[in-house]
Amino acid sequence: MPLLNRHLLGLQGVPREDIQLIIDTAVTFREVLERPIKRVPTLQGKTIVNLFYENSTRTRISFELAEKRLSADSINFSTSQSSVAKGESFKDTIRNIEAMKVDMVVVRHSAAGTPLYLTKICDANIINAGDGIHEHPTQALLDMYSIREKLGRIAGLKICIVGDIAHSRVAFSNIYGLKSMGAEVSVCGPSTMIPKSIQDLGVKVIYNIDEAIQENDVLNILRIQLERKAREYFPSIREYAKYFGITSERLNKNGKDILLLHPGPINRGVEISSEVADGKHQIILNQVTNGVAIRMAVLYLLGTLN
Ligand code: CP
């Protein structure tokens, strides 16, 4: 069954069947990643541009790897090595790239709405790899895949997203995706980092991290985004770590067998202690591995629609 839309701009409004299809397809590609020769001919002849206007390690490398595993031709674009550095506009840059006959564009940009704008000026399939504080759909898809792989389901689970919800594209994509899949979603963090209207999305708000640990099956722990002026929303990093940091003491005190996710990169000793980041509850590196399979699934499903 094909996806409803020829682009992946976000998970808001994406039906459960589409999310299920992407995750089920990723399971089959996950098996390819275990083979001695990790390559299938599925997207042979397709050209994909990775347009990263913002830094990335996991998303950029996993899209590149996914494209290679599917035998697509991939081109990597970074602003510092392009004519953007000479002042070429975004629109002219895209028009020139499109003139080279590309089929798909993976885009990360600090401005929310950039992937949507690309759909208006370019014929290629557009995949959002993170746009400002709007959405990061493939991160939420790989998070859901990793939860389902570990716990066998998503529907009915109690899942709490912890941290700077207001400035997190990962949080919003997770909320839309998890709600669509039937999870009970809550958020936890300082009140300054929780949007006033979050309850309109059907999400519970918890201000105490111990309560969040007690009540939930899964915590998705967000990075405190120091580069996005997160410090202005709480008195000090030490105070954030004291009241919201996930530590072994906190997990032991609450005596819970809880599953912990983190999208990375990690601030060890801030939102998560080093011991917990490497400990038995977390599946952080499984998320990264599953990220390649999820991106293969999205590229395959969109790339074979045309
Ligand atoms: N999780 C995530 O988006 O990481 P990168 O910024 O390294 O891509």
Side-chain angles (χ1 to χ4, degrees):
M1 188 176 61
L3 288 172
L4 291 181
N5 199 316
R6 60 184 293 268
H7 308 291
L8 180 64
L9 305 182
L11 293 188
Q12 187 171 21
V14 173
R16 181 186 190 135
E17 298 72 38
D18 278 16
I19 294 175
Q20 198 99 44
L21 174 66
I22 295 168
I23 296 176
D24 289 344
T25 307
V27 172
T28 63
F29 283 127
R30 182 72 179 73
E31 181 268 320
V32 172
L33 300 179
E34 300 300 330
R35 294 181 191 166
I37 298 174
K38 303 171 179 55
R39 191 180 283 260
V40 287
T42 320
L43 291 187
Q44 213 157 34
K46 296 276 182 189
T47 304
I48 304 173
V49 176
N50 301 309
L51 199 64
F52 278 70
Y53 276 75
E54 209 187 58
N55 292 344
S56 168
T57 298
R58 280 146 289 269
T59 312
R60 185 176 56 77
I61 292 176
S62 63
F63 265 113
E64 276 180 50
L65 258 181
E67 290 152 15
K68 287 180 175 30
R69 303 292 186 233
L70 293 170
S71 304
D73 296 317
S74 56
I75 313 292
N76 297 313
F77 173 97
S78 73
T79 45
S80 60
Q81 289 164 353
S82 73
S83 291
V84 170
K86 299 179 205 162
E88 188 168 30
S89 74
F90 183 71
K91 189 170 181 177
D92 284 337
T93 303
I94 300 307
R95 285 258 159 88
N96 278 272
I97 289 173
E98 191 183 25
M100 296 182 216
K101 309 291 177 199
V102 304
D103 299 294
M104 306 175 87
V105 176
V106 175
V107 60
R108 171 170 286 194
H109 202 289
S110 57
T114 300
L116 176 64
Y117 175 63
L118 273 181
T119 66
K120 315 276 183 211
I121 61 168
C122 169
D123 274 340
N125 302 104
I126 307 299
I127 299 173
N128 182 1
D131 62 330
I133 59 170
H134 175 229
E135 282 220 40
H136 191 351
T138 56
Q139 179 66 48
L141 287 164
L142 75 88
D143 291 344
M144 288 187 279
Y145 174 13
S146 304
I147 293 169
R148 197 183 83 172
E149 182 182 59
K150 191 75 184 168
L151 301 181
R153 67 192 169 105
I154 296 170
L157 287 178
K158 292 185 167 187
I159 301 175
C160 182
I161 306 165
V162 181
D164 183 1
I165 310 301
H167 302 97
S168 173
R169 55 195 178 205
V170 174
F172 287 107
S173 286
N174 262 281
I175 290 169
Y176 299 133
L178 289 168
K179 294 288 297 176
S180 186
M181 294 298 285
E184 281 185 46
V185 184
S186 57
V187 294
C188 177
S191 57
T192 48
M193 291 180 148
I194 307 247
K196 299 278 173 277
S197 56
I198 197 83
Q199 278 151 328
D200 297 347
L201 300 178
V203 168
K204 179 178 174 183
V205 179
I206 306 171
Y207 293 108
N208 181 300
I209 192 66
D210 293 304
E211 253 177 66
I213 294 169
Q214 280 161 15
E215 283 185 17
N216 285 280
D217 304 302
V218 180
L219 297 186
N220 197 342
I221 305 156
L222 301 177
R223 180 173 70 91
I224 290 301
Q225 302 183 61
L226 301 170
E227 79 283 11
R228 290 195 213 272
K229 300 190 178 169
R231 278 169 221 248
E232 292 174 9
Y233 297 92
F234 49 82
S236 69
I237 290 175
R238 195 196 300 194
E239 184 144 324
Y240 183 86
K242 180 176 171 196
Y243 287 103
F244 293 97
I246 308 298
T247 59
S248 293
E249 297 73 43
R250 201 154 243 155
L251 293 177
N252 292 339
K253 184 174 81 175
N254 288 287
K256 274 287 296 281
D257 189 16
I258 198 160
L259 184 68
L260 302 177
L261 285 82
H262 192 304
I266 296 169
N267 294 310
R268 287 174 184 262
V270 182
E271 68 269 4
I272 187 167
S273 73
S274 212
E275 195 182 2
V276 174
D278 299 322
K280 63 176 182 179
H281 295 282
Q282 58 78 31
I283 52 166
I284 297 169
L285 292 179
N286 294 53
Q287 289 173 260
V288 176
T289 307
N290 291 339
V292 179
I294 279 288
R295 283 156 185 143
M296 287 172 81
V298 168
L299 291 164
Y300 161 72
L301 289 166
L302 296 183
T304 52
L305 269 180
N306 298 333

